[in-house]
Amino acid sequence: MSLFSKKRKPVSHMTAAETDHHHNSGSNGPSSMMEETSGGRHPHHPLPPIPTNGHHSLPHQPSTPSRHHHPTPGSNSAASAAAKVTQPKLVFHCQQAHGSPTGLISGFTNVKELYEKIAECYDIQPSEILFCTLNTHKVDMNKLLGGQIGLDDFIFAHRKGRPKEIEITKSEDALGLTITDNGAGYAFIKRIKEGSIIDRMKYINVGDHIERIDQTSLVGCRHYEVAKMLKDIPKGTTFIMRLVEPLQAGFSNIGPRTNPGTAKKSYGSGKETLRLRANGPARVEEAPDSVVEAAVEKINSLLESFMGINDADLATQIWEMGQEKTNTMDFAEAIDNSDLEAFGFTDDFIFELWGAITDAKAGRLRK
């Protein structure tokens, strides 16, 4: 019988990571994490403008004048002139990862809109963009753009490259893949387990978009749906996986093209981030502290071990849902009453998540 107030459907482990790397609540070993988008439930906040003094901070909000205030002569014209003064929007620098001029991107509130803005900047279709990395043009899964962008981060867009079809025989229970997605309909390979079936196939690489399995298109599927589909393929089955690799760089070393005299000492080191959400507007927040980062990494490692997915934004949502709770029952009930219920977390997995949250709150996890 379930220990919680609401019975959850059991789910099967989706990768070999479950049998090989089971994480308990006292584990101190964080794994690498990235950011994907997931739903949020936050009130609407408009995007604040970037201040013109070069420091990133939230704009000052003037207090509302009293209804008994009597303006002095000329104040109406001054107020009218002040109302016409507008400050610039948040603007991010962008390049195509294989090489391109630098573009300026603004006016987006989620990943899908970001891709549309990048596509508009370079006169391409949004569907051409597989994923984005921050501050590197390389296919670096530790630098994937997900739910947060630092205000100083430089965005590199990775476009579709060569398609390929690989015949795979599932000779073992697990293929050895960790799946993530770009938040806009494309799932791709985040990690390949050493010694696994996929690791022995040299034409399959990290960063490859999984476009189709046999005749089933996976475009528009979330990472957990793709992971489950691969897990459900019976052992001994031979199938065709169609992949699309990122477009390769035309030269080996590119970076932000700025005037050396005006370049910043570093980029990607801002203390505030733009938090992107699938359901709701983006907002500027303080960058996560070491406790939050350690908690998110640990939760993300559990998602990878138990479900074969990697999603830092989902991990962040789980942390935020549990950090104010005082016991496992309340935490489980909060998950059951949220959109996370669709994941079908088991009772055992809930205990693992709660262990990571309590370890982080007690300072037993370190980034």
Side-chain angles (χ1 to χ4, degrees):
M1 184 174 67
S2 172
L3 300 177
F4 304 122
S5 59
K6 188 169 185 179
K7 188 174 181 180
R8 233 173 271 94
K9 295 184 293 182
V11 292
S12 300
H13 295 181
M14 294 188 180
T15 64
E18 175 193 11
T19 57
D20 297 337
H21 301 92
H22 181 73
H23 297 263
N24 58 47
S25 61
S27 173
N28 292 324
S31 66
S32 63
M33 66 93 176
M34 279 309 309
E35 344 37 78
E36 316 293 333
T37 58
S38 61
R41 292 165 297 281
H42 294 269
H44 178 81
H45 292 281
L47 292 180
I50 290 182
T52 56
N53 61 2
H55 297 285
H56 298 295
S57 59
L58 295 177
H60 173 69
Q61 298 295 333
S63 58
T64 305
S66 167
R67 58 179 174 168
H68 301 296
H69 172 70
H70 297 284
T72 56
S75 62
N76 286 338
S77 59
S80 176
K84 294 179 181 180
V85 175
T86 58
Q87 295 188 24
K89 301 177 182 178
L90 283 172
V91 177
F92 294 87
H93 290 81
C94 175
Q95 284 183 4
Q96 297 183 66
H98 64 283
S100 75
T102 300
L104 299 178
I105 309 297
S106 64
F108 57 90
T109 61
N110 55 51
V111 171
K112 193 170 183 179
E113 290 181 6
L114 168 61
Y115 287 6
E116 291 171 354
K117 293 291 184 179
I118 295 174
E120 181 182 343
C121 178
Y122 292 106
D123 195 23
I124 60 176
Q125 293 297 315
S127 59
E128 281 293 303
I129 302 173
L130 288 182
F131 55 84
C132 293
T133 51
L134 298 177
N135 307 316
T136 179
H137 69 282
K138 298 178 181 179
V139 181
D140 184 346
M141 295 293 105
N142 293 318
K143 300 294 185 180
L144 282 174
L145 181 151
Q148 297 190 28
I149 308 175
L151 298 190
D152 289 334
D153 282 342
F154 199 106
I155 301 170
F156 289 90
H158 296 255
R159 290 177 58 182
K160 282 184 177 180
R162 180 181 61 178
K164 51 194 177 186
E165 293 189 350
I166 312 292
E167 183 178 274
I168 302 170
T169 299
K170 192 175 182 182
S171 57
E172 302 171 13
D173 290 329
L175 294 171
L177 291 177
T178 296
I179 310 297
T180 190
D181 64 47
N182 66 356
Y186 289 166
F188 54 94
I189 299 172
K190 171 74 162 59
R191 223 181 325 270
I192 298 175
K193 184 179 179 182
E194 186 176 355
S196 65
I197 296 174
I198 298 300
D199 187 46
R200 296 192 292 269
M201 297 184 170
K202 301 307 178 185
Y203 294 103
I204 300 178
N205 300 301
V206 166
D208 287 352
H209 161 48
I210 305 176
E211 185 178 69
R212 194 168 66 221
I213 297 176
D214 287 332
Q215 300 305 312
T216 303
S217 172
L218 302 182
V219 175
C221 293
R222 292 299 312 275
H223 46 31
Y224 58 89
E225 295 173 308
V226 176
K228 185 178 188 305
M229 188 175 299
L230 293 171
K231 170 66 174 62
D232 290 345
I233 295 174
K235 185 177 178 180
T237 301
T238 298
F239 61 96
I240 302 294
M241 181 184 290
R242 180 180 171 87
L243 302 159
V244 180
E245 64 184 29
L247 188 62
Q248 299 300 312
F251 43 96
S252 61
N253 186 21
I254 62 175
R257 298 183 178 94
T258 57
N259 185 332
T262 60
K264 301 172 184 176
K265 293 182 180 179
S266 63
Y267 62 101
S269 58
K271 293 186 177 180
E272 290 182 324
T273 64
L274 181 67
R275 177 94 178 264
L276 304 176
R277 305 174 189 279
N279 303 316
R283 56 184 291 183
V284 171
E285 299 178 348
E286 289 295 319
D289 59 25
S290 60
V291 171
V292 175
E293 288 182 344
V296 169
E297 282 200 9
K298 178 60 179 177
I299 293 170
N300 212 12
S301 73
L302 293 174
L303 289 171
E304 184 169 338
S305 296
F306 278 75
M307 303 182 67
I309 64 174
N310 190 286
D311 189 336
D313 202 52
L314 173 61
T316 300
Q317 186 180 356
I318 292 171
W319 160 254
E320 291 176 346
M321 193 168 292
Q323 65 175 335
E324 300 300 328
K325 300 297 184 291
T326 57
N327 58 69
T328 318
M329 296 288 292
D330 290 344
F331 176 55
E333 185 175 358
I335 287 180
D336 284 341
N337 292 330
S338 73
D339 54 355
L340 300 185
E341 184 186 19
F343 287 87
F345 295 153
T346 63
D347 289 352
D348 287 343
F349 188 51
I350 291 291
F351 274 120
E352 294 281 358
L353 293 174
W354 180 248
I357 291 169
T358 54
D359 282 349
K361 290 195 291 186
R364 291 189 291 270
L365 296 179
R366 286 289 181 266
K367 169 67 176 166

